[in-house]
Amino acid sequence: AQSVTQPDIHITVSEGASLELRCNYSYGATPYLFWYVQSPGQGLQLLLKYFSGDTLVQGIKGFEAEFKRSQSSFNLRKPSVHWSDAAEYFCAVGLFSGGYQKVTFGTGTKLQVIP
Amino acid sequence: KAGVTQTPRYLIKTRGQQVTLSCSPISGHRSVSWYQQTPGQGLQFLFEYFSETQRNKGNFPGRFSGRQFSNSRSEMNVSTLELGDSALYLCASSPGGTTDTQYFGPGTRLTVL
């Protein structure tokens, strides 16, 4: 069965500093990978997704992620963090079979941004 | 286009009661998925409906059920509520294709006392 691991429960960075959130997955084939962000009291917003092709994926709000098959990783990065980026970030892997998709989420990483 | 809407946003029930949550997908979307989010278990998949048929199901007891109407609106029902059912219930819609992105609603916060 597919699984997703986000090893960092909580991360604190200074505003303007770079950010990398880690995500590792377990899945037999090439997975479909997603990063979502959730602000307090809100639903999840898609930041970016990887299905195939270029392993460096650009998303919204200045985020990018790189798929590394050899490391089973899909880490999220941002070169300069803004205070408004404080939120919880979820990595997810999608299994597409039989015409439907089942998405498994990681446990999330809470990002705190300090001035 | 309007986003995914969920009603009600907040709900307080007592143990043993039942509850119905509603989700209106983005116009034109035929797939609706439901997730339960709790601090301890994170986001867990409940089920997915496509064209009024359940086509995927997670590992939840039979107390959790759902349905989808011809206009793609979906409801989920939880019977005989337990304290552990307190959670944020998220609904997501997509056109329904294999690589379509899911768009999430703001969720319904259910508190069971």
Side-chain angles (χ1 to χ4, degrees):
Chain A
Q2 74 228 51
S3 66
V4 182
T5 302
Q6 293 182 249
D8 303 307
I9 297 173
H10 190 270
I11 282 185
T12 300
V13 299
S14 298
E15 191 170 14
S18 64
L19 171 70
E20 182 168 27
L21 302 182
R22 296 184 290 165
C23 173
N24 293 96
Y25 65 89
S26 172
Y27 183 54
T30 299
Y32 296 97
L33 295 161
F34 309 85
W35 274 100
Y36 284 87
V37 61
Q38 185 179 33
S39 298
Q42 303 295 316
L44 276 70
Q45 181 183 22
L46 180 72
L47 286 174
L48 47 79
K49 60 187 178 184
Y50 173 78
F51 289 160
S52 65
D54 192 347
T55 57
L56 184 63
V57 181
Q58 301 297 321
I60 62 171
K61 303 185 180 188
F63 286 93
E64 67 177 27
E66 186 171 12
F67 170 60
K68 292 186 177 180
R69 185 192 307 275
S70 61
Q71 298 176 20
S72 297
S73 69
F74 188 57
N75 293 348
L76 182 71
R77 301 193 294 247
K78 186 169 184 178
S80 178
V81 169
H82 189 262
W83 64 266
S84 60
D85 294 325
E88 190 160 18
Y89 292 79
F90 292 91
C91 181
V93 58
L95 167 65
F96 297 88
S97 174
Y100 63 86
Q101 61 176 292
K102 181 178 178 181
V103 180
T104 299
F105 286 85
T107 51
T109 298
K110 282 189 179 176
L111 173 65
Q112 181 182 11
V113 180
I114 55 177
Chain B
K1 274 187 182 178
V4 178
T5 58
Q6 293 186 245
T7 57
R9 291 293 310 278
Y10 302 91
L11 207 49
I12 299 175
K13 293 286 187 179
T14 56
R15 279 182 298 173
Q17 287 186 309
Q18 75 165 17
V19 67
T20 299
L21 312 181
S22 180
C23 172
S24 293
I26 292 171
S27 177
H29 286 191
R30 296 167 64 191
S31 167
V32 173
S33 297
W34 288 89
Y35 295 85
Q36 181 195 64
Q37 186 178 25
T38 59
Q41 300 296 319
L43 275 154
Q44 293 186 286
F45 173 76
L46 281 155
F47 31 65
E48 184 217 0
Y49 286 86
F50 178 79
S51 293
E52 301 180 65
T53 301
Q54 186 185 88
R55 68 177 182 180
N56 200 1
K57 188 176 185 302
N59 297 322
F60 277 80
R63 300 186 297 107
F64 291 83
S65 62
R67 59 177 176 169
Q68 186 179 35
F69 302 95
S70 58
N71 62 358
S72 293
R73 189 177 70 85
S74 176
E75 289 181 346
M76 69 163 280
N77 184 275
V78 187
S79 63
T80 318
L81 283 166
E82 301 176 0
L83 295 179
D85 297 332
S86 294
L88 180 67
Y89 290 88
L90 293 164
C91 158
S93 79
S94 80
T98 55
T99 60
D100 288 331
T101 299
Q102 293 186 2
Y103 294 88
F104 283 80
T108 294
R109 172 73 63 185
L110 171 65
T111 301
V112 182
L113 302 176

